[in-house]
Amino acid sequence: MTTTEIADTRERLRAAGLRATDQRMAVLTALETHPHADAAEVFAAVLPGLPDTSVQAVYGVLAALTDAGLVRRIEPAGSPARYELRVGDNHHHIVCTRCGAIGDVDCAVGSAPCLTPAGTSGFTVTTAEVTYWGLCPDCAAAPLT
């Protein structure tokens, strides 16, 4: 990260009411280069720079960042929770049924929640979460084994 990017990340943390700790900085940096990563992948990415960290610490940081609205947690069926930095735009996801790769899909119609339910049981709908399933380009091109 450049000096400006580091300062921007620290400011985002502080603006969200969080201290800019080394672990939080490392997790945010990991998610920039590993979108849709699970906690184990984030841990593997931060471990070289923070050898004294633990998987539990990474889970704690991910929870704090999610609660602060800096990170979005998604839970595709059959997959561990995944984390991404793209928040606040109510986008959706597409998951490869063969390899588990995940991609972003922008809202299909209009603004959030971009889907209108037939009934809400009195709830105020703020987000619609859709998961598309299919084959990623690599898996679609690969022969079945």
Side-chain angles (χ1 to χ4, degrees):
M1 290 180 99
T2 67
T3 304
T4 302
E5 290 169 329
I6 292 169
D8 289 347
T9 301
R10 283 191 175 121
E11 182 53 37
R12 281 190 309 162
L13 285 164
R14 290 183 186 123
L18 299 173
R19 289 187 355 232
T21 65
D22 289 344
Q23 287 179 330
R24 289 176 180 155
M25 295 288 293
V27 166
L28 287 172
T29 300
L31 289 173
E32 286 178 7
T33 56
H34 300 87
H36 308 118
D38 63 25
E41 293 166 330
V42 173
F43 174 69
V46 303
L47 189 59
L50 296 172
D52 292 334
T53 196
S54 67
V55 174
Q56 188 58 41
V58 168
Y59 272 106
V61 169
L62 288 167
L65 295 174
T66 301
D67 290 346
L70 296 174
V71 169
R72 180 177 177 189
R73 176 186 166 128
I74 62 169
E75 298 181 56
S79 173
R82 305 289 182 140
Y83 300 87
E84 65 180 345
L85 295 177
R86 189 172 169 190
V87 297
D89 67 353
N90 193 213
H91 69 281
H92 308 299
H93 296 94
I94 187 160
V95 180
C96 181
T97 55
R98 190 176 299 164
C99 72
I102 300 174
D104 290 330
V105 177
D106 290 329
C107 278
V109 180
S111 60
C114 68
L115 295 174
T116 304
T120 64
S121 300
F123 285 72
T124 299
V125 178
T126 58
T127 303
E129 190 168 309
V130 175
T131 303
Y132 298 93
W133 298 88
L135 292 176
C136 70
D138 290 341
C139 288
L144 289 174
T145 55

